[in-house]
Amino acid sequence: MFIALRLKSVIIAVLCIIAAGVTFSLCVLPPYLATFSEQEQEQEKEKDYIKWVDFNIPYEAMEKALEWDIKLHDTDTPVCWLDILAYLCTRYGNDFKKYKPADMDGLVQKLKAGETMEQLTDGMKYYPYYRESCQAALGGFVGDYRVEISEKNSQEKHWEQRYGLKVFSPIARGYQFGHYDDFGNKRSYGFARKHLGNDLMGSIGTPIIAVESGTVEAIGWNQYGGWRIGIRSFDRKRYYYYAHLRKDRPYHANLQEGQTVKAGDVIGYLGMTGYSTKENVNNINVPHLHFGMQLIFDESQKEGNNEIWIDVYQIVKLLQKNKSAVYRVDETKEYYRQYDFMEEALEGLE
């Protein structure tokens, strides 16, 4: 999955080049320190947190690890899918071209036989880095939750307790979209840069879904993303970015900054706004949702040159296992989720 580097200190390299009797001194500063004061730089050096994550875990590995987690959840030998994935990341040196399902099966069999992850990872220097990175990227995805279920052959609903994947596709059930792994592709509007998300091509007005429960941290116009929404997970490790929403009516009528949203809620509608300093302008050629995920290990990474955006293409594939059904209210033209959802973090917040 990932390259996750924990830097205990930032080294300022001084290169001395001697040529023709003249000494040149070049001080190289990391970009996120270049604009800090001397005091801020010293404080940054003392911080110990992950500075970079390269997400490489394929959908097939995530799905299989998830299946093992769910299958063994109520047994005497439960396993955590994040432990499994972090172990494989370490074993492969983050190169999942080496991935073999048998490697995962072998690990699980050892755990079922009574060996612990502490024993199995003893001597694996980078396992803690990968484990923390896995937790940051996928930590809110699996757990206990309750969901409304329709009674068979009836309009009545009841609540059902479940354990498993409790996050949703960003596109509502019944709506088609296309995507490919476009993370890192070139973008030129405003300035040359890399694409830091996954574009989901669809139809204007398609209901957009909150992937995970959390808090709305940003809503409004951004010249690059057009009408956009930013939602922070409750553990504050993940920041979800939904951009290029519909012109004129981009957001669900109930959405506002500071609001708590549930995984599976309708939060807005797909469009093609953005690439304009003027608000409410369609300057995107093809209607799509830009979906991105930022990982945050320290609040200094939230905005600026130290941001960590990961490739979510494989994650989007995993999210297709759980789609939120919606319905339309003709009078308001708004869409709502069909089945309610509840998890521990939401208790008492409504």
Side-chain angles (χ1 to χ4, degrees):
M1 136 163 160
F2 339 169
I3 298 172
L5 300 179
R6 182 193 303 274
L7 300 181
K8 293 186 176 179
S9 61
V10 177
I11 301 175
I12 300 178
V14 178
L15 304 180
C16 295
I17 306 170
I18 302 176
V22 181
T23 300
F24 298 90
S25 179
L26 174 62
C27 182
V28 182
L29 287 176
Y32 58 88
L33 286 183
T35 58
F36 285 4
S37 68
E38 184 174 339
Q39 181 181 2
E40 289 172 329
Q41 290 179 27
E42 290 301 321
Q43 292 174 346
E44 185 69 17
K45 292 177 189 178
E46 295 176 1
K47 292 182 180 180
D48 182 19
Y49 56 84
I50 290 175
K51 302 298 197 302
W52 183 252
V53 172
D54 189 8
F55 191 92
N56 290 324
I57 303 179
Y59 161 74
E60 293 76 14
M62 287 189 286
E63 181 187 40
K64 188 174 179 64
L66 174 63
E67 290 174 351
W68 272 121
D69 189 315
I70 296 172
K71 181 179 180 179
L72 298 177
H73 175 63
D74 287 325
T75 70
D76 294 333
T77 55
V79 299
C80 175
W81 74 311
L82 301 183
D83 289 345
I84 295 171
L85 295 175
Y87 176 91
L88 294 178
C89 288
T90 312
R91 174 171 174 173
Y92 300 145
N94 197 37
D95 181 5
F96 270 84
K97 293 178 181 178
K98 301 175 182 178
Y99 171 64
K100 297 178 181 178
D103 293 340
M104 186 183 300
D105 293 336
L107 171 63
V108 172
Q109 293 309 316
K110 291 179 181 178
L111 293 169
K112 289 176 65 178
E115 294 187 68
T116 67
M117 285 302 300
E118 289 76 12
Q119 292 170 331
L120 294 170
T121 59
D122 183 41
M124 298 178 77
K125 180 179 178 181
Y126 294 106
Y127 176 78
Y129 303 137
Y130 289 119
R131 184 58 179 81
E132 186 176 349
S133 297
C134 281
Q135 183 70 36
L138 306 171
F141 281 32
V142 175
D144 295 300
Y145 64 95
R146 291 184 295 128
V147 64
E148 276 190 324
I149 301 294
S150 291
E151 300 284 357
K152 191 173 183 180
N153 301 321
S154 171
Q155 296 297 320
E156 298 296 322
K157 298 178 182 178
H158 70 275
W159 284 94
E160 184 172 293
Q161 185 72 36
R162 294 182 177 180
Y163 175 86
L165 196 66
K166 59 187 181 75
V167 285
F168 290 80
S169 167
I171 303 294
R173 181 185 299 178
Y175 292 84
Q176 301 300 314
F177 71 91
H179 72 139
Y180 65 95
D181 195 353
D182 53 349
F183 187 83
N185 286 1
K186 293 181 180 180
R187 294 292 186 269
S188 58
Y189 173 77
F191 61 96
R193 64 194 189 283
K194 292 182 179 180
H195 186 233
L196 300 178
N198 188 207
D199 286 345
L200 313 183
M201 310 298 177
S203 301
I204 291 179
T206 293
I208 302 304
I209 303 299
V211 167
E212 182 178 356
S213 300
T215 305
V216 178
E217 284 197 344
I219 185 171
W221 183 262
N222 176 285
Q223 67 168 309
Y224 302 100
W227 295 122
R228 64 29 167 147
I229 302 169
I231 298 177
R232 188 80 166 265
S233 62
F234 287 134
D235 67 5
R236 303 188 62 77
K237 295 296 185 182
R238 290 167 298 288
Y239 179 78
Y240 294 93
Y241 183 68
Y242 309 80
H244 306 313
L245 302 181
R246 181 176 62 183
K247 183 180 179 180
D248 298 328
R249 297 185 62 192
Y251 310 119
H252 192 280
N254 295 337
L255 196 74
Q256 57 186 334
E257 192 169 316
Q259 173 188 347
T260 296
V261 295
K262 296 180 180 181
D265 281 353
V266 178
I267 56 175
Y269 303 97
L270 188 148
M272 50 194 300
T273 59
Y275 283 16
S276 173
T277 55
K278 183 179 179 181
E279 289 190 1
N280 204 35
V281 172
N282 282 335
N283 266 348
I284 302 298
N285 294 328
V286 179
H288 69 273
L289 170 71
H290 171 102
F291 175 64
M293 184 194 293
Q294 181 186 8
L295 302 187
I296 302 168
F297 299 91
D298 183 86
E299 283 303 311
S300 65
Q301 297 174 312
K302 180 60 172 62
E303 295 182 3
N305 295 326
N306 202 18
E307 296 175 6
I308 301 174
W309 295 89
I310 63 171
D311 188 344
V312 293
Y313 174 71
Q314 300 292 338
I315 292 176
V316 169
K317 293 170 69 174
L318 180 72
L319 296 175
Q320 299 316 296
K321 297 174 71 67
N322 208 12
K323 299 180 180 180
S324 184
V326 299
Y327 66 92
R328 183 177 186 266
V329 175
D330 292 336
E331 291 79 3
T332 63
K333 299 180 182 180
E334 292 286 356
Y335 286 78
Y336 296 84
R337 70 182 308 150
Q338 188 169 350
Y339 301 103
D340 204 356
F341 169 91
M342 181 58 64
E343 59 180 315
E344 183 179 359
L346 292 165
E347 299 286 354
L349 294 179
E350 292 189 302

